[in-house]
Amino acid sequence: MQNIDITRRLSKLMPTGALLIAFIFAAVLLAQEKEKEKKQEENMSIGDRFHHETCMTWKGAIGDMLSKKPPEPPQYKSYPKAEKIQLPKPEYSGMTVEEALKKRRSIRNYSTKPISKEQLSQLLFAAQGVTGKMYGKALRTAPSAGALYPFEIYVVVNNVQDLPRGIYHYSVLDHTIELVKAGDFRDQITDAGMKQETLGKSGATFILSAIFDRVRYKYGERGMRYVYMEAGHISQNIYLQATSLGLGSVCAGAFLDEKVNQLIDVDGKKEAVIYLHPVGCL
Ligand SMILES: Cc1cc2nc3c(=O)[nH]c(=O)nc-3n(C[C@H](O)[C@H](O)[C@H](O)COP(=O)(O)O)c2cc1C
């Protein structure tokens, strides 16, 4: 009689025990998996980790929606005290896109002939010119994630007809340039660009600088990827426009970050230079 009772009791206990064992087993597996992932991340290069940690998953996307994000910075940057120069209307009509695509080449040697203000105007318009409106927002020549436009464009004017040398900021809304620093910056931009002479011998060298929180406030860390993608869009616009104007250009990703950031007075954290783009006459 007593034996039967014990068996009954055991059989009642068994499912709970099995459940407990299964639970412990799952917890161990999960901990092992987490440990493995941590080890994997530890062995990753900074580049691999950047990509890995900004990968999108449904779980991550939901987590990201709930995560704390930086506040939205102003959409436009301006220099209210700076001298403002109105640029000619960008009305140039050149070769077809197909021709420009076929002809585009990275060109690093330029003649001493200055580029014209009209050409500068057209190039800035190609980079970030306003081409439309949506919900009161100014849309531009290059696409931007969420139409948030993280980029500011600066121009080191080295050799532009009727325009004093200096560093200017492109004001997209009114198609003007604002004089940020007057003077000859040919040597400084060359030094900051790791002695790439093309940067100082150009008619103008474009500096593409990104304000990261403009995209991060909405997309979190994933937004950092978008910034680099957008630099490519803007760069290609400059390349194709330069080709169509019969000018030479090259994009430059090799430069001393701190030095170029200092040149335009940005901190390299909230805002940093991503790309350089000299353009000159052939
Ligand atoms: C992300 C990136 C960075 C680059 N950086 C430089 C650079 O610092 N200096 C330079 O002279 N060319 C640079 N280039 C231009 C490449 O050398 C060039 O595109 C390549 O040789 C192909 O030639 P093509 O542009 O004439 O087709 C860069 C290109 C890219 C896409």
Side-chain angles (χ1 to χ4, degrees):
M1 254 326 256
Q2 212 182 3
N3 256 354
I4 292 169
D5 204 36
I6 287 167
T7 322
R8 256 198 213 140
R9 275 190 193 174
L10 259 178
S11 71
K12 267 192 180 176
L13 272 175
M14 270 301 276
T16 322
L19 213 70
L20 197 70
I21 289 166
F23 181 75
I24 292 168
F25 192 65
V28 168
L29 271 183
L30 210 72
Q32 274 178 347
E33 198 57 38
K34 268 198 164 174
E35 191 58 30
K36 210 169 110 191
E37 196 169 316
K38 210 173 135 198
K39 276 225 168 87
Q40 248 177 7
E41 278 184 15
E42 273 169 17
N43 291 330
M44 277 180 183
S45 70
I46 187 83
D48 286 342
R49 265 184 53 204
F50 168 72
H51 187 80
H52 179 73
E53 288 183 24
T54 54
C55 276
M56 226 172 198
T57 59
W58 280 114
K59 199 173 117 201
I62 291 161
D64 207 44
M65 272 192 250
L66 306 170
S67 72
K68 199 169 173 273
K69 303 213 180 57
E72 183 182 6
Q75 209 188 340
Y76 301 102
K77 198 171 173 182
S78 70
Y79 292 82
K81 287 183 186 158
E83 182 191 341
K84 228 173 167 36
I85 296 160
Q86 186 67 52
L87 291 166
K89 254 190 162 183
E91 292 177 319
Y92 176 78
S93 173
M95 59 180 67
T96 62
V97 171
E98 291 78 11
E99 276 176 273
L101 283 169
K102 271 192 204 156
K103 279 197 172 152
R104 185 210 63 82
R105 203 82 286 150
S106 289
I107 295 168
R108 299 170 182 84
N109 293 312
Y110 315 117
S111 70
T112 53
K113 190 178 161 204
I115 66 171
S116 68
K117 249 193 208 172
E118 283 75 17
Q119 288 171 328
L120 180 68
S121 163
Q122 198 65 46
L123 287 159
L124 281 167
F125 180 76
Q128 279 290 274
V130 173
T131 50
K133 277 210 166 140
M134 191 178 64
Y135 308 123
K137 213 170 202 189
L139 302 175
R140 308 188 193 174
T141 46
S144 175
L148 294 172
Y149 304 104
F151 276 92
E152 294 291 330
I153 312 287
Y154 291 83
V155 197
V156 183
V157 168
N158 295 323
N159 190 13
V160 178
Q161 209 166 22
D162 302 324
L163 196 59
R165 287 198 173 111
I167 299 178
Y168 295 79
H169 168 256
Y170 179 46
S171 173
V172 291
L173 287 179
D174 53 6
H175 195 61
T176 60
I177 45 174
E178 298 157 317
L179 179 62
V180 178
K181 284 181 181 176
D184 185 345
F185 291 92
R186 288 177 296 178
D187 288 346
Q188 285 189 52
I189 189 67
T190 306
D191 281 351
M194 309 190 79
K195 308 276 183 207
Q196 297 193 64
E197 291 202 340
T198 183
L199 300 167
K201 290 193 168 161
S202 64
T205 291
F206 294 76
I207 299 178
L208 278 54
S209 170
I211 297 175
F212 299 116
D213 285 354
R214 280 196 191 148
V215 272
R216 258 203 310 208
Y217 98 89
K218 182 172 181 189
Y219 295 114
E221 295 309 304
R222 177 80 174 180
M224 293 300 279
R225 281 205 204 184
Y226 298 162
V227 167
Y228 293 97
M229 294 173 192
E230 290 187 28
H233 294 302
I234 298 171
S235 163
Q236 183 74 346
N237 280 8
I238 298 174
Y239 258 124
L240 294 178
Q241 184 63 81
T243 307
S244 172
L245 287 163
L247 302 171
S249 189
V250 60
C251 59
F255 55 84
L256 303 171
D257 296 70
E258 209 180 324
K259 282 200 171 182
V260 190
N261 289 332
Q262 277 169 5
L263 212 53
I264 58 163
D265 294 327
V266 297
D267 66 2
K269 292 186 182 88
K270 289 265 169 216
E271 179 174 354
V273 174
I274 305 293
Y275 231 178
L276 302 177
H277 231 294
V279 182
C281 283
L282 301 177

